[in-house]
């Protein structure tokens, strides 16, 4: 499988796997790995704006800090609000 090579804001080469995605509110989030073998997850790339600047919380919510694209948590509990 061929992965797209991109450079992070820190200058690291990372590898985007467009076949591994999570649904977001504005577009998918693609899995990003440290190596082209896909062994160590680096983070996510926003499919809406292309940014690597994403954050994940302890509930599994992913958010792009550039455009606001959001993936809701897998499990939701009203006690967390």
């Amino acid at each position: 499988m061929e992965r797209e090579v991109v450079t992070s804001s820190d200058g690291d080469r990372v590898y985007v796997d467009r076949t591994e995605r999570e649904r977001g509110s504005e577009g998918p989030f693609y899995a990003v790995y440290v190596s082209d073998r896909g062994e160590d997850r680096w983070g996510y790339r926003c499919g809406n704006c292309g940014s690597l600047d994403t954050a994940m919380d302890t509930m599994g919510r992913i958010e792009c800090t550039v455009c606001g694209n959001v993936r809701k948590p897998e499990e939701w509990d009203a006690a967390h609000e």
Side-chain angles (χ1 to χ4, degrees):
M1 170 185 311
E2 192 166 320
R3 292 178 172 86
E4 177 185 0
V5 180
V6 295
T7 303
S8 73
S9 60
D10 295 333
D12 298 324
R13 288 179 67 162
V14 294
Y15 302 83
V16 180
D17 185 343
R18 291 191 175 269
T19 64
E20 190 176 334
R21 68 185 87 191
E22 301 287 342
R23 181 179 294 177
S25 60
E26 303 296 324
F29 288 96
Y30 299 107
V32 179
Y33 292 94
V34 173
S35 73
D36 63 348
R37 292 181 301 247
E39 295 170 351
D40 296 317
R41 174 74 59 86
W42 184 87
Y44 289 93
R45 183 176 194 184
C46 178
N48 184 51
C49 72
S51 176
L52 292 170
D53 194 3
T54 59
M56 178 184 272
D57 66 16
T58 57
M59 292 292 294
R61 179 176 167 257
I62 304 168
E63 182 174 0
C64 176
T65 60
V66 175
C67 72
N69 187 17
V70 176
R71 174 187 168 257
K72 293 183 180 182
E74 292 178 10
E75 294 183 22
W76 182 83
D77 184 345
H80 288 91
E81 286 199 8

